[in-house]
Amino acid sequence: MRSKSDSKSIHRQVISNIIPAVIVELMILIYNLADTFFIAQTNDPIQIAAVSLASPVFMLLITCGIVFMAGGMSCISRALGAGEHKKANNIASFCIWAGIITGLIMTIIFTVFIGKILILIGASIETFVPSFSYLSIVIASAPFVLFSMASGGILRAEGHATQAMNGQIIGNVLNIILDPIMILYMKMGITGAAIATVLGTVAGAAYYIGYFLSGQSSLRINIKNFKFNNGIATGVIAIGIPACLDPFLMSISQMIMNSLMSAYGDMAIAAAGVTMRIEQIACLIAMGSGQGVQPLLGFCVGAKDWDRYKAMLKFALKLTISVSLFMVMMCYIFTGNIVRVFLIEPNAFNYAMKFLRIKLSSSVLFAVFFIFVNALQAMGAAKASFILSVCRQCLLYVPALFIMNYFMGEYGLIWALPVAELLSLLQTFVIYGKIIFEPKIFVEKVKK
């Protein structure tokens, strides 16, 4: 039986790790909302629709960063738990430098094909030019985005969650300060929003560079420590790809949804984009909770402390579900007030009101799903995490988009997500239960 003092210690440790991670995710949301909010003050719904189209493309950068953030966080925390500090150094260096190189490659690819991508995802004659202006600028920040995300994962893995949060906050606060100046005062519109995003990203990366150079981190990212062998690259990628697949496929499915939604007009796209950002309030809390508790769970796996693993997972689930329910309730109560901040055009406003209430119905389901996926990643169960991510977006959500669009039109496109969330959560319970009670691997370790 675990003592009360031990339980309190676990609760404090989980909360102290989750809160900075949640704040980071909320800061990401706030800066996304800031772009939309200040662009909305131009009273031009076409620019809002353009941001809605461009955002999933930009999110592809974030998903690539998750490979090195989540993969590195899982591998480093397990290495530290097992006392392998040199290997942890090699993993950290790999994540940083591989992330920078990947960012440079992505900048080149997107710059070459940006026009074709926008046409493919449903940009209209009215939204093509502003979408092009936004993406052609923000894509330059790719190396800084991936470097910052890899750095945040490294700092969380070694227990410096607050410092990991600081870099994100610095970048986002600068972006929020610059948004009204560039969008409204300088009258640069969506182009100003893109420039503010790039400058904020560079500022966040500068903080992490300074942190590593100051020697405050116990890990070294010197390129001399950069190695592919000894399972370093494969270990990071094996965990990182399943971790990034869900948001990556989410970006792809969002592009598909926007393309299908374009048949119902630019106001429907604008409403769907605003709805996605508001609904993310509850979702990003779950993502922050999962990322916050993952290194703690990974350390328990490395140390083979399965009782503590179970206690931390149970508390993280209770905490995340409670907070997500509260946020959903607040969004339901103040739906009209929230939507009116971003959209006043009557047709777009009516769409957003209905869209948001539909999407909020699945937010808590996603919270539970994401906690369990992070628990699997902490155990190194890359195959299971991969299966869940692919099934959720490719085999459940995307088919649901086409089927429900056919039968229910634009509202079917919104209902497709709650349906997919419910089915994917049921699948998660089955897969997690099978792994945690696998006789040859886990039963003896989790027995009381």
Side-chain angles (χ1 to χ4, degrees), residues 45 52 59 72 89 98 124 142 175 182 188 212 243 282 294 312 336 341 359 364 374 396 416 430:
S52 300
M59 282 301 294
N89 271 329
S124 66
N175 180 66
M182 294 189 167
M188 297 176 69
F212 283 119
Q294 191 202 102
M312 285 184 167
V341 171
K359 277 203 166 186
V364 178
N374 275 269
L396 296 175
V430 172

Side-chain angles (χ1 to χ4, degrees), residues 2 6 10 13-14 74 77-78 293-317 370-381 432-433 435-437 442 445-446 448:
R2 190 171 292 277
D6 197 21
I10 288 173
Q13 195 173 5
V14 171
S74 175
S77 61
R78 281 183 281 135
V293 78
Q294 191 202 102
L296 298 177
L297 297 177
F299 191 93
C300 291
V301 172
K304 295 181 173 58
D305 189 346
W306 295 99
D307 285 339
R308 193 173 186 84
Y309 171 93
K310 291 192 294 180
M312 285 184 167
L313 177 60
K314 184 178 179 180
F315 179 69
L317 278 170
F370 202 79
I371 291 292
F372 274 107
V373 167
N374 275 269
L376 289 170
Q377 291 167 7
M379 289 190 292
Y432 183 83
I435 288 177
I436 201 68
F437 294 116
F442 289 105
K445 295 177 181 177
V446 298
K448 293 237 178 227

Side-chain angles (χ1 to χ4, degrees), residues 260-268 347 351 405-406 408-410 413:
L260 294 172
M261 188 68 78
S262 65
Y264 305 102
D266 289 332
M267 294 306 97
N347 193 25
Y351 267 135
N405 178 50
Y406 179 81
M408 299 173 64
E410 63 268 53
L413 291 173

